[in-house]
Amino acid sequence: MKRVVGFALFWIAAGIVLSLILPNIFLEVLCIILCMAVGYSLFCC
């Protein structure tokens, strides 16, 4: 369980860094939706 939480926290931090780099809010929202879809697919399937 600790490994799963650590993995999630690592990618949350990576997402925060990515949002600092991206120039506008639309790309950030697009990346969030994409990551949520991929994460759901990997977690549930």
Side-chain angles (χ1 to χ4, degrees), residues 4-38:
V4 173
V5 172
F7 187 74
L9 288 174
F10 174 81
W11 286 110
I12 288 170
I16 292 170
V17 170
L18 183 65
S19 72
L20 290 172
I21 295 170
L22 292 175
N24 63 13
I25 193 78
F26 176 73
L27 287 176
E28 293 176 20
V29 172
L30 189 63
C31 285
I32 290 168
I33 291 170
L34 179 67
C35 289
M36 288 178 70
V38 170

Side-chain angles (χ1 to χ4, degrees), residues 1 4 7-8 35-45:
M1 186 65 184
V4 173
F7 187 74
C35 289
M36 288 178 70
V38 170
Y40 177 78
S41 175
L42 291 173
F43 185 74
C44 293
C45 297

